[in-house]
């Protein structure tokens, strides 16, 4: 399932030297953002609402989904520190069931750290990193 929005964003910010890497990421992102993923996201939100409110369940689900999708999209990277941060993101966001402090600290710091270590990355790749910072800020504001 290819989306026109993803294709358009990659066209706007693209250049030739990173084209192969971007094509691989775009292909994996298109695979990952499918109907089963969306249904699993909804199921996770529904299960989490048994333990926490709707807003916190949505924020926790977004953090967990971000970790799982990032792990799939960038699976060729080495374990430490890159994959370690992704597994930590999943665990930290699930810790938001007990207290919102851990996801706040983890999401904001992980988003900023990822933007620093991937400073030469394609600008479209920074959207999920900015989303992490926003997720942490939303935890502060709403949880």
């Amino acid at each position: 399932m290819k989306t026109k929005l993803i294709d358009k964003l990659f066209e706007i910010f693209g250049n030739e030297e990173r084209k192969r890497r971007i094509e691989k990421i775009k292909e994996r992102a298109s695979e990952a953002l499918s109907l089963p993923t969306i249904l699993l996201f909804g199921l996770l939100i529904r299960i989490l609402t048994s333990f926490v409110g709707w807003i916190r369940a949505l924020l926790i689900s977004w953090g967990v989904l971000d970790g799982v999708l990032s792990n799939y999209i960038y699976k060729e990277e080495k374990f430490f520190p890159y994959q370690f941060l992704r597994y930590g993101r999943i665990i930290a966001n699930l810790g938001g069931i007990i207290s919102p402090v851990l996801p706040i600290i983890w999401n904001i710091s992980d988003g900023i750290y990822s933007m620093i270590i991937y400073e030469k990355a394609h600008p479209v790749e920074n959207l999920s990193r900015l989303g992490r910072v926003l997720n942490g800020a939303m935890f502060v504001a709403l949880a």
Side-chain angles (χ1 to χ4, degrees):
M1 169 198 265
K2 300 241 180 188
T3 59
K4 290 182 180 182
L5 176 64
I6 292 173
D7 289 338
K8 193 56 111 176
L9 286 172
F10 279 101
E11 285 176 23
I12 292 170
F13 294 108
N15 70 19
E16 290 303 317
E17 61 192 44
R18 295 183 261 172
K19 190 165 178 70
R20 277 189 291 152
R21 181 173 188 271
I22 294 301
E23 286 298 321
K24 189 185 320 183
I25 291 170
K26 185 170 64 168
E27 180 181 315
R28 286 189 187 153
S30 296
E31 290 173 8
L33 297 174
S34 62
L35 183 61
T37 306
I38 294 167
L39 292 175
L40 286 173
F41 182 64
L43 178 65
L44 182 60
I45 291 171
R46 180 62 192 110
I47 291 170
L48 288 173
T49 55
S50 301
F51 304 104
V52 295
W54 277 99
I55 293 173
R56 193 185 289 182
L58 185 65
L59 293 172
I60 291 170
S61 298
W62 175 258
V64 169
L65 186 70
D66 181 39
V68 171
L69 292 179
S70 295
N71 192 20
Y72 177 74
I73 292 171
Y74 298 105
K75 62 184 172 186
E76 74 277 349
E77 292 183 347
K78 60 184 181 177
F79 178 75
F80 192 81
Y82 307 112
Q83 297 295 357
F84 175 76
L85 288 172
R86 293 181 184 107
Y87 290 121
R89 189 178 318 143
I90 295 167
I91 293 167
N93 279 289
L94 286 175
I97 294 171
I98 299 167
S99 171
V101 175
L102 188 59
I104 290 169
I105 294 169
W106 189 276
N107 288 336
I108 292 173
S109 60
D110 180 36
I112 293 170
Y113 177 73
S114 295
M115 282 190 276
I116 291 170
I117 64 172
Y118 291 109
E119 66 183 29
K120 296 184 187 220
H122 198 278
V124 172
E125 293 179 75
N126 284 330
L127 292 176
S128 67
R129 296 174 188 119
L130 291 171
R132 271 178 242 144
V133 174
L134 181 64
N135 189 339
M138 296 293 284
F139 260 110
V140 171
L142 301 174

